[in-house]
Amino acid sequence: SPAVTEAPILDVLAERWSTRIFDAQTPIDEEALASELEAARWAPSANNTQPWRFVVARRGTDAHAALVHGHLPADHASE
């Protein structure tokens, strides 16, 4: 349901939501992934510095294993 606000805001803001459900076993298709990455790429940044870099690796691949075991702290690794 839309957010209740004291002052009018754009519908797109009032109707936004954050999922609380995440299923690591449900794959995301390539088109949806590309769409999400494109939206993230267009996100605003301070002084348009666009400091982000994205790495995509699918679970069960050598690339994912290398990322999880070689670059992430042990308490943040997700397999």
Side-chain angles (χ1 to χ4, degrees), residues 3-28:
V4 177
T5 62
E6 293 180 18
I9 63 172
L10 296 173
D11 289 344
V12 70
L13 297 176
E15 296 173 2
R16 71 165 291 284
W17 61 278
S18 296
T19 186
R20 299 289 187 255
I21 301 170
F22 175 75
D23 180 2
Q25 303 306 313
T26 302
I28 183 171

Side-chain angles (χ1 to χ4, degrees), residues 2-60:
V4 177
T5 62
E6 293 180 18
I9 63 172
L10 296 173
D11 289 344
V12 70
L13 297 176
E15 296 173 2
R16 71 165 291 284
W17 61 278
S18 296
T19 186
R20 299 289 187 255
I21 301 170
F22 175 75
D23 180 2
Q25 303 306 313
T26 302
I28 183 171
D29 65 69
E30 294 298 321
E31 186 176 340
L33 176 61
S35 179
E36 295 294 328
L37 290 171
E38 186 66 6
R41 193 177 72 82
W42 279 89
S45 64
N47 298 317
N48 199 30
T49 58
Q50 301 176 343
W52 37 78
R53 301 293 181 264
F54 304 101
V55 176
V56 177
R58 302 287 186 168
R59 281 186 176 85

